[in-house]
């Protein structure tokens, strides 16, 4: 149901990843980091499948960071941004 908005309403909740899901996420982030360099934000979305979890989306930007779902998320993001801004990025 789009209800006239840009996207469908979803029920967003914090979830605990399985070891298999974590492994897929870690391998994906490692590949992205090797290919594009350090990432400030990334999210790997999975769905269950007959052969195991399947990646359906990789987010490298996100307008809705869901910071309220994890108590330390906002502070950690602010620290990461601050650290990146203070790093000398000249070639």
């Amino acid at each position: 149901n789009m209800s006239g908005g840009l996207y469908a309403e979803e029920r967003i909740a914090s979830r605990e990843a399985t070891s298999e899901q974590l492994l897929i996420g870690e391998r994906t982030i490692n590949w992205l980091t090797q290919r594009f360099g350090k990432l400030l934000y990334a999210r790997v979305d999975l769905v269950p499948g007959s052969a195991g979890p399947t990646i359906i989306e990789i987010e490298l930007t996100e307008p809705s960071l869901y910071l309220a779902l994890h108590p330390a998320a906002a502070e950690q993001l602010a620290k990461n941004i601050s650290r990146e801004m203070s790093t000398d990025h000249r070639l």
Side-chain angles (χ1 to χ4, degrees):
N1 180 13
M2 293 292 283
S3 302
L6 294 175
Y7 54 89
E9 282 289 324
E10 296 178 89
R11 188 179 74 81
I12 306 296
S14 182
R15 296 197 173 99
E16 198 69 35
T18 67
S19 58
E20 184 179 28
Q21 292 167 336
L22 284 172
L23 182 61
I24 292 168
E26 289 170 359
R27 286 181 175 174
T28 302
I29 298 303
N30 287 340
W31 182 87
L32 289 166
T33 300
Q34 289 173 9
R35 177 103 164 101
F36 300 108
K38 187 174 181 182
L39 305 170
L40 184 59
Y41 172 87
R43 188 181 81 216
V44 179
D45 293 349
L46 305 168
V47 294
S50 59
T54 301
I55 296 173
I56 60 166
E57 182 176 30
I58 298 171
E59 299 257 3
L60 300 180
T61 62
E62 175 62 64
S64 302
L65 293 173
Y66 308 110
L67 297 176
L69 293 178
H70 190 280
E75 184 176 341
Q76 187 61 51
L77 179 61
K79 285 179 182 177
N80 290 348
I81 291 170
S82 178
R83 184 178 60 242
E84 284 302 306
M85 290 179 68
S86 65
T87 303
D88 185 12
H89 291 288
R90 289 180 285 165
L91 296 176

